[in-house]
Amino acid sequence: MTAIPQHIAIIMDGNGRWAKKRLLPRVAGHHAGVEAARQVVKNCAKRNIKVLSLFAFSSENWRRPAQEVGYLMELFLDGLEREVSLMHENNIQLRFIGDRSRLSERLIKKIIEVEALTKSNAGMVLLIAVDYGGQWDIYQAVRQLAKAVEAGELSSDVITTEIVASRLAFSDLPNPDLFIRTSGEYRISNFMLWQLAYAELYFTQTLWPDFDEQELDQALADYAARERRFGARVEN
Ligand code: IPE
Ligand code: IPE
Ligand code: MG
């Protein structure tokens, strides 16, 4: 039997370079990237993946020119407006992780709306990371715990790794089994630092807009051939 990951987490990288190669503006790359995201959602749902996480905008992406940031935010809003009914029909549950405080009111409203609409869907969970950073995630968990201690609800003596994990952004879902990054960059760029502890890492040179069904199957085949040990020893 082939091992199928329960949770796939993807850093969708290379939109800018894809556009540059075609002498197009960067935004055209982001536009093409949205189409690739639609395809990967469809193809993961088809393969019965339980959770798909997509890194759409990092805590550090605010450092980009305001015009590009603005375009990306419009793309998210537009994409949500256009895609949500189809996702809902396909029983997909949409959830967002990240620091919402810096997003526009319109986007926050839309996020709340689509989360509520798809809340009871029992199919694939699509986790979209917007203004997300692994360091932010750990920081907000620590802060929650500090507040609980301060309020006398929790004693610092009983804080375990499980308790820390329970305050992270998606503690009710399994951690990623397979991490994919496109565009030939070999780094995690502050994605799920805690949750990726035992993920199998897969890197491809393919730029995100070119990541198609075949590419996904290649990553899945690679994953199926891995031996996961989680620090233990395989008997022989
Ligand atoms: C990834 O593509 C999309 C986001 C970070 C939002 P990039 O925009 O990082 O593309 P490159 O890395 O410059 O090619
Ligand atoms: C990571 O890509 C973030 C997203 C894909 C959303 P970046 O392109 O921002 O990462 P760096 O700057 O190359 O590390
Ligand atoms: Mg990039």
Side-chain angles (χ1 to χ4, degrees), residues 17-43:
R17 279 162 283 168
W18 183 92
K20 197 171 174 196
K21 258 176 53 184
R22 287 165 178 75
L23 307 176
L24 294 168
R26 284 184 70 82
V27 294
H30 293 316
H31 197 77
V34 171
E35 182 51 35
R38 279 183 63 211
Q39 294 303 319
V40 85
V41 170
K42 191 181 86 189
N43 292 325

